Amino acid sequence: MKKKIFLAVACLGTFWVQSQVVVKCATDEMFLESVKQFPAIQLEEQRANEIASKAPIQNKKATIRYIPVVFHIIHKFGLENISQTQLNDAIRVLNEDFRKLVGTNGGSSTDPLTADFEIEFRLAQLNPNGLPTNGVNRIYSLNADNARDAQKSLSYWDARKYFNVWVVNTINNTGGTPGSIVLGYAQFPFQINSQTSTDGVMMRADQMGVIENVDVSQLGRTLTHEAGHWVGLYHPFQGGCVGGTSSNCLSQGDQVCDTPPVSTATTGCPTSRNSCTNDVPNLPDLVKNYMDYADGNCMNMFTKGQKTRADAILPNFRSNIYSTTNLTAAGINADGTYRPLPSSNVKAPYYFGFNQASLAGTGWNLENYMCPGDSGWQINNTVGLVSSGSMAALNIKTWRTNVRNAFSSPNLDITNLAAPTLSFYAAYARRSSVSGDRLRVFISNNFGRTEILARTILSAEMSSGANSLDPFTPASNEWKKYTIDLSPYKNFNNLRVRFELQSLRGNNIYIDDFRIDEPTSLGEQLKREMQFQLFPNPSKGLSTISFSNEQNQSIAIDLIDLQGKKILNIVNRLVEVGNHDIELDVNNLQSGIYLVQVKTEKGMFIHKMWVE
Ligand SMILES: [Zn+2]
């Protein structure tokens, strides 16, 4: 079988076509190896098959089983470090296929044998330590190529609680067809007791979903196929032309009765193929079955018999993973929705100056996605706005199109700001007017699982230094300030900000002085000029208001509640020049937040007061 695999799209800007034998799945050869190493698996397999063979076909709608998923991206900061958007797309295809969703490929089959598997996959929201996650672990390793089970130990969550999917650049094909490309492989449910720490699915990054860095010939269905193994299904060509009669279909071949036997794996989309003629009745092959090897746009069904088999095996080998208790631990409700999580303990106002030697322990993360030789975003300890530290992408080395590098902030609780505003400084130069770099700022309130595009800055606007073919290092006056109003998101209690640079023949870029606070208004300025203070705050009874008055003027100071109702008039008179201390008795007030409103002839401001 020859297939075109599209690789390295973003690095070269054009398709690099490679013609190699594609072996869709290495599950069978990996299973043979496993049985050699752990003979007990054979008994477990027999036990599973026996249970499945006794299960009656059920059409009844059962409860949907939701399965928490974790993706482990083993990457070298290369194209295999696929985006969250692409991972979300992979989950979309998986759920459409498993749920036979109307209006999708998965729901397109009119074959009466087609089954809704009543299984859905959800990215985990809590990790094994109970901490928030977007369900994705990104592990930098030089072993992202030629991966096998050994790479799984780089990142693994308890397989009894999470469906582990490892995403790598390429998969080792030892034992397979020489020179072939393996797209994925899985472990069966009956291997879990012997091989717990490798349980799950290994996938090539270019088979995930149908967008960005993908080989479109499979349309994301390799993951559907591998997840099919993971719930207990064999290939329909298991054993060749056997198990084709009503008396042996449950004990031979794929041990499913409504999938006719297939002699060898199907390629392309030969809809009238009939590779075995000894089945009774003699039916054509079910080439549209996800568990065969047809092209992605050909496959669109699991059968009712396959669902019956999985339904019988899962409660005996994987029941914990979709239990309500386990879903709760993964941050998912029994109905598949996400549970609200507590606010981040990192509170706004928040400032970060990138003056550390590394990002370790800061809560900031690199999500570079680049080509060999690129530097991506890194802490730069020589260039900075005020002190010598910034986040920099030495982008001039990236004279390739569409390289996408990103970094993200810790999760921040911004709910105590009335007018939350994100501001940062950037310094950037173009090579020439054709430089098409762009910086995009995304925000998320669910740990990056989904994002909102808050701002796009194109190269012309971003340019703060003169066009140059030499590497750009900004002078102190070559920084631009950007502000983004976060008021629409002021209820975000786990705000994450992600900066993504899409490179297109530009020069270096630096980001510094990241702040989430409230804008300095005229009122704030006035407050500073008056050296206004209120202490203690929070107050238990008596507090002092202290300020400096630079001219004789009328001043009114009122205490108001959060509804704007005046509670107490503190001052309302002509106040002479000089320093003043005024006692404020709040003994009679209920505990809570109040506002001290100060009006002078120059303007007004408000100061928050807590009464305990
Ligand atoms: Zn397979």
Side-chain angles (χ1 to χ4, degrees):
M1 167 168 68
K2 295 265 179 188
K3 257 193 195 133
K4 286 170 183 170
I5 289 276
F6 301 102
L7 291 172
V9 176
C11 281
L12 303 175
T14 50
F15 291 105
W16 171 32
V17 181
Q18 215 184 39
S19 234
Q20 251 180 305
V21 179
V22 172
V23 175
K24 202 160 188 176
C25 165
T27 300
D28 289 345
E29 65 203 45
M30 291 301 291
F31 184 65
L32 286 177
E33 256 182 46
S34 297
V35 170
K36 260 188 233 160
Q37 214 182 332
F38 305 98
I41 290 174
Q42 234 160 352
L43 293 173
E44 290 280 89
E45 183 186 23
Q46 279 168 21
R47 179 162 79 91
N49 288 342
E50 212 170 291
I51 293 165
S53 70
K54 289 178 184 148
I57 292 217
Q58 284 185 3
N59 292 323
K60 216 179 84 188
K61 273 256 177 200
T63 317
I64 310 296
R65 288 149 294 183
Y66 296 96
I67 294 178
V69 182
V70 54
F71 287 121
H72 310 282
I73 317 289
I74 314 294
H75 69 90
K76 301 177 294 184
F77 284 125
L79 296 177
E80 69 286 348
N81 192 15
I82 56 176
S83 70
Q84 182 88 25
T85 317
Q86 189 175 341
L87 292 167
N88 290 348
D89 198 54
I91 290 262
R92 174 187 64 81
V93 174
L94 189 60
N95 285 331
E96 287 176 2
D97 292 351
F98 266 79
R99 284 306 315 279
K100 191 175 155 353
L101 286 180
V102 176
T104 72
N105 173 80
S108 66
S109 174
T110 52
D111 192 318
L113 291 175
T114 311
D116 166 3
F117 248 63
E118 297 179 305
I119 288 175
E120 283 189 36
F121 299 86
R122 291 284 183 276
L123 283 171
Q125 192 186 211
L126 289 173
N127 71 14
N129 298 324
L131 297 173
T133 173
N134 52 5
V136 181
N137 293 323
R138 295 178 186 274
I139 311 296
Y140 172 77
S141 166
L142 290 174
N143 296 319
D145 292 330
N146 212 23
R148 271 258 168 133
D149 277 0
Q151 273 80 352
K152 294 177 176 176
S153 62
L154 293 169
S155 184
Y156 161 81
W157 289 1
D158 189 346
R160 293 185 174 90
K161 298 177 176 172
Y162 301 91
F163 175 32
N164 287 265
V165 179
W166 291 271
V167 178
V168 295
N169 194 30
T170 57
I171 297 172
N172 184 301
N173 70 346
T174 308
T177 316
S180 64
I181 292 178
V182 174
L183 306 184
Y185 70 87
Q187 266 188 215
F188 293 109
F190 35 83
Q191 294 173 257
I192 191 162
N193 292 323
S194 300
Q195 295 180 287
T196 318
S197 63
T198 50
D199 184 85
V201 163
M202 175 74 83
M203 289 288 298
R204 268 179 74 110
D206 62 5
Q207 300 303 314
M208 301 296 286
V210 300
I211 57 166
E212 299 179 4
N213 178 32
V214 287
D215 154 33
V216 289
S217 72
Q218 301 302 321
L219 293 177
R221 306 234 139 71
T222 304
L223 184 54
T224 306
H225 175 102
E226 300 307 340
H229 288 312
W230 186 81
V231 299
L233 305 183
Y234 295 119
H235 294 130
F237 49 87
Q238 172 97 356
C241 294
V242 297
T245 70
S246 59
S247 61
N248 65 12
C249 61
L250 282 171
S251 57
Q252 293 181 18
D254 69 353
Q255 318 218 2
V256 171
C257 285
D258 58 7
T259 53
V262 179
S263 61
T264 52
T266 302
T267 60
C269 190
T271 45
S272 53
R273 186 185 191 214
N274 187 8
S275 65
C276 296
T277 52
N278 60 338
D279 47 329
V280 184
N282 178 11
L283 297 171
D285 301 355
L286 206 55
V287 300
K288 291 178 175 286
N289 195 294
Y290 293 125
M291 296 316 293
D292 204 337
Y293 277 17
D295 287 347
N297 61 5
C298 187
M299 299 186 292
N300 65 4
M301 65 181 290
F302 286 118
T303 68
K304 294 196 163 99
Q306 287 174 322
K307 176 172 193 280
T308 303
R309 178 176 164 84
D311 284 358
I313 291 174
L314 287 173
N316 288 281
F317 295 89
R318 299 205 186 279
S319 63
N320 179 60
I321 200 167
Y322 52 84
S323 70
T324 308
T325 320
N326 191 54
L327 280 175
T328 304
I332 301 164
N333 291 309
D335 66 357
T337 55
Y338 285 98
R339 300 173 71 83
L341 294 190
S343 300
S344 167
N345 53 18
V346 186
K347 310 285 181 194
Y350 174 87
Y351 170 79
F352 197 75
F354 302 102
N355 296 322
Q356 290 71 4
S358 88
L359 291 178
T362 63
W364 286 79
N365 282 301
L366 293 180
E367 290 183 24
N368 289 327
Y369 171 98
M370 58 200 191
C371 299
D374 297 341
S375 62
W377 288 105
Q378 288 175 354
I379 283 274
N380 185 306
N381 291 125
T382 56
V383 175
L385 177 68
V386 273
S387 49
S388 49
S390 63
M391 187 61 100
L394 303 182
N395 190 37
I396 194 161
K397 291 183 183 168
T398 312
W399 201 354
R400 301 184 180 93
T401 57
N402 295 326
V403 174
R404 211 183 55 222
N405 294 313
F407 65 99
S408 59
S409 76
N411 301 315
L412 303 158
D413 178 6
I414 64 167
T415 54
N416 50 359
L417 299 184
T421 304
L422 163 65
S423 68
F424 61 91
Y425 283 81
Y428 164 80
R430 296 189 284 178
R431 278 169 190 267
S432 73
S433 58
V434 301
S435 295
D437 300 326
R438 67 174 180 182
L439 182 70
R440 294 196 294 171
V441 184
F442 294 89
I443 60 170
S444 171
N445 197 35
N446 57 24
F447 321 103
R449 200 171 58 240
T450 57
E451 292 186 311
I452 298 162
L453 176 60
R455 180 82 187 262
T456 301
I457 307 164
L458 300 178
S459 70
E461 180 190 359
M462 193 157 59
S463 174
S464 62
N467 294 2
S468 172
L469 296 177
D470 296 322
F472 171 61
T473 304
S476 60
N477 61 351
E478 288 178 316
W479 291 83
K480 271 192 185 176
K481 187 181 184 184
Y482 299 89
T483 57
I484 297 172
D485 178 16
L486 296 178
S487 301
Y489 319 108
K490 59 193 275 187
N491 63 337
F492 280 19
N493 59 355
N494 280 292
L495 175 89
R496 190 190 82 148
V497 180
R498 190 171 68 91
F499 292 89
E500 184 185 279
L501 175 69
Q502 197 168 35
S503 299
L504 196 66
R505 297 177 177 169
N507 205 322
N508 298 343
I509 176 168
Y510 305 82
I511 287 181
D512 205 354
D513 207 34
F514 176 98
R515 278 172 203 275
I516 293 180
D517 54 13
E518 296 185 87
T520 312
S521 61
L522 287 175
E524 288 294 308
Q525 227 167 316
L526 182 60
K527 191 196 256 185
R528 255 177 251 175
E529 280 168 17
M530 290 179 75
Q531 297 165 40
F532 180 92
Q533 282 184 301
L534 171 68
F535 53 88
N537 188 15
S539 171
K540 285 196 166 78
L542 281 184
S543 277
T544 303
I545 288 172
S546 152
F547 62 89
S548 161
N549 189 23
E550 61 179 14
Q551 65 186 61
N552 293 339
Q553 63 175 333
S554 299
I555 294 181
I557 303 178
D558 294 309
L559 190 67
I560 57 179
D561 68 14
L562 288 177
Q563 280 72 45
K565 205 177 98 196
K566 192 192 281 188
I567 305 289
L568 183 68
N569 173 247
I570 304 163
V571 173
N572 192 6
R573 59 178 166 87
L574 189 72
V575 180
E576 53 283 13
V577 70
N579 295 330
H580 299 270
D581 285 337
I582 297 165
E583 270 199 354
L584 176 56
D585 183 353
V586 291
N587 254 318
N588 297 328
L589 293 182
Q590 287 194 325
S591 55
I593 298 174
Y594 295 85
L595 305 172
V596 177
Q597 179 185 279
V598 180
K599 280 186 183 165
T600 75
E601 290 173 14
K602 285 179 80 177
M604 69 92 82
F605 62 87
I606 277 169
H607 191 91
K608 239 183 229 178
M609 177 180 197
W610 284 264
V611 174
E612 287 189 332

